[in-house]
Amino acid sequence: MQLKIENLSKTYSNGVQALKDVSLTINQGMFGLLGPNGAGKSSLMRTIATLQEADSGSVQLDTIDVLRQKEEVRKILGYLPQEFGVYPRVSAETMLDHIADLKGIGNSRERKEIVAGLLQKVNLYDVRKKNIGTYSGGMKQRFGIAQALIGNPKLIIVDEPTAGLDPAERNRFHNLLSEIGENTIVILSTHIVEDVTNLCSDMAIICLGEVVAKGNPNELVASLNGKVFRKLIEKPELDQYRADYQVISSSLKMGKTQIRVVADELLMGFEAATPDLEDVYFAEITARQGLAV
Ligand code: ADP
């Protein structure tokens, strides 16, 4: 199974061009779509999930024309949106049963089995009778995954799933996602670089509606070998460094400010640094948006 997005563009009625000629080929496994807030990730996810129209371009999932054969897509799609509204006074078990019914699983015994299996998979079986409103953020996200998995989807879209989760919850959620990613296409849209580093074998970076980098995360990192340098400076010097160099990030280190810079050769007074995916991300973003963190 393969998802092929070609030359997809979308301008909203207020004039914001959210997608500019986006082309991506996505294979089975976990695909990370990384970009800052407002980059166009949700616009792209909602378009693939048949929830909104594009102005031009095409999206093909094997033989299915995604932009036209919406019913066909919905049968094989699992979608966990950014804002996942749940009915707080309904138990997880009842809610999943209801969603399975809506997805066309009419036989109640079959539904019961599917729901029990999913609750076990996402580790909510013991709390299946509790109202969803009493769940923690991480439990709600796992419930969201369970509902997205009903009907064995071939394409799963998860939009900003780890925002608001504590580290342990995030870890559990990552493990769950990577299990699922083995024989489906899972698109993980996020602004958190670490989510992609830990999980994805293929990725793209999107900024201001455009794909600015794509490929295997390790290869993208390798493209910065020998080009990232760091230096400890005093905070008031930061503006001057930003004016003189391509500063891609800054962080506090023992009361000083450590900057990371991209350059073609070793800079006087700087130290060579080992590049990581965050460097790739910030190098792409700062080159376009001009704001270093
Ligand atoms: P992301 O998911 O990466 O944060 P979005 O796709 O939500 O990005 O947004 C991309 C751009 O489109 C932003 O500038 C956003 O303000 C704008 N936008 C998103 N949805 C709408 C909409 N329904 N109407 C108008 N502008 C929108």
Side-chain angles (χ1 to χ4, degrees):
M1 187 141 258
Q2 189 179 65
L3 183 75
K4 212 169 165 66
I5 301 163
E6 282 183 317
N7 310 110
L8 203 64
S9 292
K10 170 76 180 177
T11 302
Y12 288 110
S13 51
N14 62 357
V16 173
Q17 194 176 1
L19 298 173
K20 296 178 196 164
D21 216 18
V22 169
S23 296
L24 288 171
T25 300
I26 301 178
N27 293 306
Q28 273 185 9
M30 296 277 305
F31 184 91
L33 182 72
L34 189 60
N37 287 332
K41 302 182 297 296
S42 292
S43 299
L44 181 58
M45 297 300 100
R46 287 198 304 261
T47 309
I48 301 168
T50 74
L51 298 173
Q52 71 177 49
E53 305 285 336
D55 297 333
S56 57
S58 68
V59 182
Q60 194 78 24
L61 181 63
D62 281 354
T63 57
I64 302 173
D65 179 341
V66 173
L67 301 184
R68 293 195 178 80
Q69 298 170 272
K70 294 190 177 135
E71 284 307 313
E72 297 302 307
V73 178
R74 287 173 194 160
K75 279 185 205 152
I76 56 167
L77 172 76
Y79 180 52
L80 176 55
Q82 205 168 344
E83 302 273 318
F84 183 66
V86 289
Y87 295 91
R89 283 195 227 358
V90 178
S91 75
E93 189 178 49
T94 307
M95 193 67 204
L96 287 180
D97 184 78
H98 178 64
I99 298 169
D101 200 9
L102 288 177
K103 281 205 181 176
I105 305 164
N107 179 313
S108 72
R109 192 178 322 150
E110 192 189 342
R111 271 204 316 271
K112 212 172 156 102
E113 258 173 47
I114 291 171
V115 166
L118 284 170
L119 284 165
Q120 264 150 0
K121 191 176 186 101
V122 301
N123 209 7
L124 291 174
Y125 189 79
D126 293 346
V127 289
R128 67 191 181 282
K129 308 264 183 225
K130 292 213 166 114
N131 288 350
I132 302 166
T134 65
Y135 283 6
S136 70
M139 288 158 85
K140 280 186 189 143
Q141 285 294 44
R142 281 184 280 136
F143 172 80
I145 278 287
Q147 66 78 31
L149 287 177
I150 292 174
N152 285 322
K154 301 277 179 290
L155 170 65
I156 297 174
I157 294 175
V158 252
D159 203 353
E160 304 265 4
T162 60
L165 299 192
D166 70 37
E169 285 176 331
R170 211 158 109 207
N171 206 12
R172 266 200 295 275
F173 190 73
H174 280 175
N175 289 339
L176 184 60
L177 275 183
S178 49
E179 257 174 54
I180 297 161
E182 281 166 16
N183 38 29
T184 26
I185 299 176
V186 182
I187 307 177
L188 171 70
S189 149
T190 182
H191 63 271
I192 301 169
V193 179
E194 211 186 323
D195 287 348
V196 175
T197 313
N198 291 342
L199 289 170
C200 301
S201 50
D202 198 9
M203 66 172 292
I205 299 174
I206 174 171
C207 182
L208 300 171
E210 280 180 280
V211 175
V212 295
K214 56 185 165 185
N216 173 282
N218 295 332
E219 287 170 16
L220 289 174
V221 171
S223 70
L224 280 186
N225 275 343
K227 293 184 177 169
V228 180
F229 305 97
R230 62 174 186 223
K231 185 175 186 179
L232 280 177
I233 62 165
E234 301 296 337
K235 194 159 189 286
E237 298 174 309
L238 186 54
D239 283 345
Q240 191 56 48
Y241 275 94
R242 279 187 175 150
D244 295 343
Y245 302 98
Q246 193 192 343
V247 176
I248 54 172
S249 62
S250 67
S251 58
L252 278 178
K253 272 243 151 66
M254 296 168 291
K256 287 206 164 202
T257 298
Q258 176 166 274
I259 54 170
R260 288 171 84 88
V261 166
V262 170
D264 284 329
E265 54 194 38
L266 181 60
L267 304 166
M268 283 284 284
F270 283 76
E271 226 186 310
T274 308
D276 57 28
L277 197 59
E278 217 161 73
D279 293 329
V280 175
Y281 178 61
F282 289 133
E284 293 294 344
I285 302 304
T286 53
R288 281 155 187 95
Q289 289 194 335
L291 57 106
V293 288

